[in-house]
Amino acid sequence: MATEKIRGGFRSLVRAADLVMKTAIVAAMAAILLVICLQIFFRFVLNNSLAWPEELARFTMIWSSLLAAVYVQLERGHLRVNFFVDKLPRKVAFTLGLLTDLLVIGFLVAAVMAGIQESYVLMDLKTGALRISRSIPYLAVPVSAALLALATAILIVKDIMEFKRK
């Protein structure tokens, strides 16, 4: 009974994270579309091009792409070569998948640490057009890496629960 409650709570958490990720990605893509349309209007209709839309669209694209990678991770949509893993016994395949996920988390933790250091170095520098801190676009790397590590940890828990159930 308690295990089923935990599973239900876990599923609710994953669904909520899924909804938040989808909403953020769609909002970012809509913002890119709006900003680019605004720039086209100013450039070709008013003959007065704005300086900031290209930079904002670029930074928003970086953030949305890396957030989309997290969403794809939660869906197990990243490219994998399972040909040989599928031929292994179930327990060995599970262990190999778990080891792979743990290695991915290790890499992502290193990416978080390096991204935070890089963002800290760039904190006082300003971008060309928007005049915001250069650390804001660079923070996309550690934030997305941390979210990817969390998504991978969620998948590990999910895999363990499925492995025990079968």
Side-chain angles (χ1 to χ4, degrees):
M1 183 72 171
T3 308
E4 200 54 45
K5 211 175 204 180
I6 292 170
R7 283 186 186 142
F10 183 71
R11 279 189 219 110
S12 296
L13 177 67
V14 170
R15 277 195 298 271
D18 185 57
L19 180 64
V20 168
M21 294 304 299
K22 281 181 186 176
T23 304
I25 294 164
V26 168
M29 296 309 250
I32 291 169
L33 179 65
L34 180 67
V35 166
I36 289 174
C37 288
L38 181 72
Q39 177 67 335
I40 290 170
F41 176 77
F42 270 81
R43 180 176 290 165
F44 293 109
V45 176
L46 301 179
N47 270 341
N48 187 13
S49 164
L50 299 171
W52 57 268
E54 180 186 343
E55 194 171 270
L56 180 62
R58 186 176 342 119
F59 294 160
T60 307
M61 178 62 85
I62 291 167
W63 272 91
S64 65
S65 298
L66 292 173
L67 289 177
V70 176
Y71 175 72
V72 171
Q73 179 71 350
L74 281 171
E75 297 291 318
R76 283 216 188 266
H78 287 291
L79 185 62
R80 293 166 44 146
V81 180
N82 291 337
F83 180 76
F84 295 110
V85 176
D86 291 343
K87 301 216 181 280
L88 295 172
R90 184 173 171 267
K91 193 170 187 175
V92 175
F94 170 76
T95 305
L96 188 60
L98 186 63
L99 179 64
T100 303
D101 286 342
L102 290 173
L103 287 172
V104 166
I105 288 175
F107 170 78
L108 292 169
V109 167
V112 168
M113 292 170 22
I116 289 172
Q117 285 176 338
E118 187 67 23
S119 295
Y120 183 74
V121 168
L122 297 170
M123 191 179 306
D124 294 331
L125 298 175
K126 302 287 183 206
T127 61
L130 292 173
R131 305 303 301 159
I132 61 172
S133 172
R134 283 199 179 269
S135 65
I136 292 172
Y138 278 85
L139 278 171
V141 172
V143 168
S144 64
L147 291 172
L148 274 165
L150 179 63
T152 305
I154 288 170
L155 292 175
I156 288 172
V157 171
K158 208 174 183 181
D159 289 347
I160 290 171
M161 287 169 42
E162 284 179 24
F163 185 76
K164 285 183 177 181
R165 195 177 320 138
K166 291 181 181 177

